[in-house]
Amino acid sequence: MSAKKWDLVIVGGGAGGLVLALALAQKGLQIALLDQKSPPIPPPRGEILQPNGLRILDELGLLNDLLAADVHRNRAVHFYRTSGQHLCTIDYARLPGPYAYALILLPEVLQRRLLEALTRHPNIHTYWGARFQSVLWEDDRVVGVEADRGGKPLLFQAPVVVGGDGAGSRVRNAFGIRHRARQYADGYFTTVVDRPQGMKEDSRYYLGKRTIFGAFPVSQNRTYLFYMIPRVQLEAVKARGLDSLKDEMLSLHPEIASLFSNPLKAILSWDQCAFMPCFRVNCAAWTVKGGALIGDAAHAMNPHVAQGRNAAMEDAMVLARVLGDCYDRGDFSQEALSAYERARRPDVDLLQGLGNEMTALWNSGFPPLVWARDRIFRSVQRHASLHDKMLGTVAGLHLRPLNLSDRWKALCSTGGSR
């Protein structure tokens, strides 16, 4: 069977792969995009587009159309203890315009806009239901992929193959890239419910000992809920039944019970819910000769940093610029492609490290760590410098980790105000 020739093959139809295809489409490249689902159906949860993701969509000419859809423009995130105390508010209004907000929406809303944009480019060809099988090699260089669709083999030949196929990436394994994958101890029960009339515009976190509950509006009438569940307890939670889980969530905080008692009653089966596991992936390299990884395939991170999808889109835009130079020179060596990794890895390393720190504090049930977490949040509320560093990092606009002086201030400060 002969292989069809392309300029670029992308494996994975998530936001990173779609953005990469769109960013390179204007160069006239013949692009094949493969995904094993037809097209992927997002699970019942929300999607957070941070300011850096909004900026990318604006560059692609998609933001205004997205803002006109039924999405939620989020101005602030409020953190509470499950005992009732307000800890802090992260205020996006402190960011410089024009992206002084986050956009929270159902994943299919973003996906629909990206797919519609793809159809406007006749040189982008999508192969839904095509399952990646293997990489085609010529000596030590990637020259294409083999896939299977409905039992029929498909061969794609290209000077560059990009793997955007998630934390369990088969492309990464086929490239032979050494990596460490870690599944965090905790995941999240997720669902989308009717938005109660009493819920204000902003998003909310409720934190306790080994407890996290979040409520994020995703549209005018819907709200995304997530609740932390230790992975080892998942089967026991299911065995107790959905009603037991809903009762457990409603007992966390009086406000949760008053707002979400009726909306949660409408969740009648596990099919209306999902469990979101959390992963971290560290790769020895993100590129090989003729190949590259983006998004979770290269660097899955804990969702506490709220940058996973946004980071994948950042990868795509940087890789698109690097590939533009590669196509102009006809150079697809690992050295040429690794300019992408050199540009992105410092930020990603910072975000992954921050995700680990946040997991250790936010998820903990150990009293000294719970005390430290709550004290840090209260310090963020009091000190503009700490607030703005945290906000800028989560927003993806300027990554400035807290230094030793910041950490000391966060733990020891007892006064001051924004």
Side-chain angles (χ1 to χ4, degrees):
M1 177 182 177
S2 60
K4 187 170 182 179
K5 294 186 177 181
W6 304 87
D7 297 307
L8 173 67
V9 175
I10 302 170
V11 180
L18 298 176
V19 166
L20 179 61
L22 290 171
L24 288 171
Q26 65 269 26
K27 294 184 71 70
L29 302 177
Q30 292 296 313
I31 301 169
L33 189 146
L34 293 64
D35 196 286
Q36 62 183 343
K37 297 181 181 177
S38 304
I41 300 174
R45 62 174 182 247
E47 187 80 67
I48 302 176
L49 294 177
Q50 298 288 359
N52 61 326
L54 301 178
R55 181 180 57 199
I56 289 169
L57 294 173
D58 209 4
E59 289 179 29
L60 295 173
L62 300 177
L63 182 57
N64 286 339
D65 183 46
L66 193 59
L67 290 172
D70 189 9
V71 297
H72 177 69
R73 194 182 294 213
N74 197 71
R75 305 289 187 180
V77 182
H78 305 289
F79 291 82
Y80 299 89
R81 288 208 64 180
T82 51
S83 60
Q85 178 187 15
H86 174 256
L87 293 170
C88 78
T89 292
I90 301 299
D91 185 2
Y92 281 84
R94 292 182 60 85
L95 292 172
Y99 313 114
Y101 61 95
L103 205 61
I104 310 179
L105 65 165
L106 296 171
E108 56 264 31
V109 177
L110 172 62
Q111 183 189 56
R112 189 180 309 120
R113 268 65 189 179
L114 292 170
L115 292 176
E116 288 170 353
L118 248 68
T119 63
R120 296 195 286 270
H121 295 280
N123 51 316
I124 302 176
H125 305 264
T126 54
Y127 290 81
W128 304 118
R131 181 175 174 80
F132 170 83
Q133 297 295 323
S134 63
V135 165
L136 304 179
W137 296 89
E138 187 175 282
D139 298 325
D140 61 347
R141 181 168 63 92
V142 173
V143 294
V145 304
E146 179 180 359
D148 177 274
R149 184 163 66 169
K152 179 181 178 182
L154 300 172
L155 297 181
F156 302 82
Q157 186 176 345
V160 181
V161 171
V162 174
D165 53 337
S169 174
R170 297 180 58 173
V171 175
R172 180 184 63 222
N173 294 336
F175 283 169
I177 290 178
R178 291 184 294 106
H179 67 280
R180 288 180 288 112
R182 169 191 172 189
Q183 185 170 0
Y184 287 94
D186 301 309
Y188 293 87
F189 164 88
T190 68
T191 191
V192 178
V193 301
D194 287 340
R195 184 172 168 182
Q197 289 185 345
M199 185 171 188
K200 298 178 182 179
E201 293 294 307
D202 299 327
S203 301
R204 307 168 188 207
Y205 273 96
Y206 300 88
L207 306 175
K209 293 182 179 179
R210 291 290 289 147
T211 302
I212 296 176
F213 178 91
F216 284 31
V218 291
S219 69
Q220 184 176 353
N221 298 313
R222 303 287 278 169
T223 298
Y224 164 48
L225 303 181
F226 54 91
Y227 178 52
M228 188 175 78
I229 297 176
R231 177 166 42 93
V232 296
Q233 295 181 16
L234 179 59
E235 293 307 315
V237 167
K238 288 185 175 180
R240 289 196 297 269
L242 187 55
D243 286 341
S244 174
L245 178 60
K246 291 190 288 185
D247 289 342
E248 184 178 316
M249 290 187 287
L250 293 171
S251 69
L252 295 174
H253 190 285
E255 189 175 54
I256 297 173
S258 65
L259 287 174
F260 297 107
S261 179
N262 288 333
L264 279 172
K265 286 179 182 176
I267 303 298
L268 301 177
S269 77
W270 292 108
D271 292 338
Q272 296 170 270
C273 319
F275 179 75
M276 179 176 68
C278 302
F279 297 93
R280 174 170 175 163
V281 171
N282 295 91
C283 291
W286 298 357
T287 61
V288 295
K289 290 182 181 179
L293 302 173
I294 61 173
D296 284 355
H299 52 66
M301 61 186 72
N302 193 280
H304 283 326
V305 295
Q307 271 291 326
R309 184 63 55 98
N310 302 275
M313 294 195 293
E314 290 266 26
D315 290 351
M317 296 300 283
V318 173
L319 181 56
R321 291 193 288 272
V322 170
L323 284 177
D325 292 338
C326 291
Y327 286 109
D328 289 342
R329 300 194 313 268
D331 181 3
F332 306 103
S333 64
Q334 184 172 13
E335 175 60 27
L337 292 173
S338 64
Y340 145 68
E341 181 179 349
R342 290 194 296 272
R344 288 289 296 143
R345 191 182 274 271
D347 285 354
V348 165
D349 286 348
L350 187 155
L351 288 171
Q352 286 188 317
L354 179 61
N356 275 355
E357 286 188 27
M358 294 168 80
T359 301
L361 282 174
W362 291 25
N363 298 29
S364 181
F366 184 49
L369 287 180
V370 173
W371 173 87
R373 177 198 67 195
D374 293 351
R375 194 171 183 88
I376 289 169
F377 273 120
R378 289 193 293 268
S379 294
V380 167
Q381 180 69 18
R382 287 191 296 266
H383 296 283
S385 61
L386 297 178
H387 171 278
D388 292 350
K389 274 194 172 185
M390 178 179 286
L391 173 61
T393 298
V394 171
L397 296 180
H398 47 80
L399 304 186
R400 295 182 295 165
L402 299 184
N403 56 35
L404 288 176
S405 175
D406 295 327
R407 294 167 192 268
W408 180 256
K409 179 191 292 187
L411 283 172
C412 299
S413 174
T414 58
S417 173
R418 283 197 258 156

